Amino acid sequence: MVPGVGDVFRALADPTRRAILDELQERSGQTLFELVSRLVMRHGLTSSRQAVSQHLDVLEAAGLVRTRREGRYKFHDLDTAPLRAITDRWRIDPQEDPCASP
Amino acid sequence: MVPGVGDVFRALADPTRRAILDELQERSGQTLFELVSRLVMRHGLTSSRQAVSQHLDVLEAAGLVRTRREGRYKFHDLDTAPLRAITDRWRIDPQEDPCASP
DNA sequence: ACCATAGGCAAGCAACTGCTTGCATGACAA
DNA sequence: TTGTCATGCAAGCAGTTGCTTGCCTATGGT
């Protein structure tokens, strides 16, 4: 069940989901409740547990979040690999080439 | 009226809009009718003129498409600059560093 | 056993999206 | 002007989305 390309773009379309990715990038391996409280504290969002859970389902289906279970905890990790589909599709000219030789 | 970050992500969420970006990347400066016919021919899409026009509005609002008028024609050009918001936000590790010094 | 905690499932609802339909505008040609 | 071509505008409609509500499962602590 490899995620389709469209799933990645659709997953990024929601601001709450983007905030979740931001949060997971800053602190990897958060649980659902941890994410909910940190989204409220640091991003000013007021999303319920179920809402965040559904967002995480979408992100996981898109391959942007990987999960691992330990006991009754489920940890979430960011995976930026699917984002390559974007940069590879429409060639983004580098803003600055660090190894330019003039 | 600089486009917000969310506009870029939302604009990319639709498969028809992504096909439009593909088409504009391949052939720059297309008109509305040109885009419609080429979307049908090369991408198997059956979008009406009005549908494509509305998609172009969304893409232009996101800053991904720039337009220029000449007489009764309106030409559309791709602008990939807003896509940097994605790669800059979640640091994508380079798949290969061309100037690595081991 | 009992209870609290972490998470899952599913139906219902309001809001949004993409598309169609129909008409209007503006530019060029005969 | 009259007609045609390229595009613009706006209302309405069906499908989707994000969220809530309510209940359920499972793990760990006491």
Side-chain angles (χ1 to χ4, degrees):
Chain A
M1 53 156 240
V2 55
V5 194
D7 297 334
V8 181
F9 293 99
R10 205 177 58 77
L12 293 173
D14 186 86
T16 303
R17 284 196 285 268
R18 294 195 295 271
I20 290 176
L21 295 183
D22 290 339
E23 193 50 55
L24 284 181
Q25 166 159 287
E26 189 164 332
R27 169 185 272 242
S28 194
Q30 296 192 49
T31 68
L32 175 57
F33 276 89
E34 209 174 341
L35 273 169
V36 171
S37 62
R38 284 179 65 107
L39 283 174
V40 174
M41 298 297 169
R42 308 165 55 85
H43 298 263
L45 300 183
T46 58
S47 299
S48 69
R49 174 186 68 88
Q50 292 85 345
V52 176
S53 177
Q54 288 169 359
H55 282 310
L56 285 172
D57 289 342
V58 176
L59 290 170
E60 190 175 5
L64 289 164
V65 163
R66 302 213 169 269
T67 63
R68 52 197 156 88
R69 260 220 116 104
E70 287 181 22
R72 58 175 164 176
Y73 298 104
K74 187 179 182 183
F75 302 103
H76 302 79
D77 298 282
L78 176 63
D79 185 359
T80 59
L83 295 179
R84 286 226 150 268
I86 303 174
T87 63
D88 292 348
R89 185 160 182 174
W90 302 289
R91 204 162 311 285
I92 301 184
D93 39 331
Q95 49 187 359
E96 262 177 303
D97 191 8
C99 43
S101 49
Chain B
M1 51 161 245
V2 57
V5 195
D7 297 333
V8 181
F9 292 100
R10 204 175 58 78
L12 294 174
D14 185 85
T16 302
R17 284 197 286 269
R18 295 195 295 272
I20 290 176
L21 296 182
D22 290 339
E23 193 50 54
L24 284 180
Q25 167 161 279
E26 190 164 332
R27 170 186 271 244
S28 194
Q30 296 191 50
T31 68
L32 176 56
F33 275 91
E34 211 173 340
L35 273 168
V36 171
S37 61
R38 285 179 65 106
L39 283 174
V40 174
M41 298 296 169
R42 308 164 57 85
H43 298 263
L45 300 183
T46 59
S47 298
S48 70
R49 174 187 67 87
Q50 291 85 343
V52 175
S53 176
Q54 287 168 359
H55 282 309
L56 285 172
D57 289 341
V58 176
L59 289 171
E60 189 175 4
L64 289 165
V65 164
R66 302 214 168 268
T67 64
R68 52 197 155 88
R69 261 218 116 103
E70 287 180 23
R72 58 174 163 174
Y73 299 103
K74 188 178 182 184
F75 301 102
H76 301 80
D77 298 282
L78 177 64
D79 186 359
T80 60
L83 295 179
R84 286 227 151 269
I86 303 173
T87 63
D88 291 349
R89 185 159 182 175
W90 303 288
R91 205 158 312 282
I92 300 183
D93 41 329
Q95 48 187 1
E96 263 177 301
D97 192 10
C99 45
S101 48

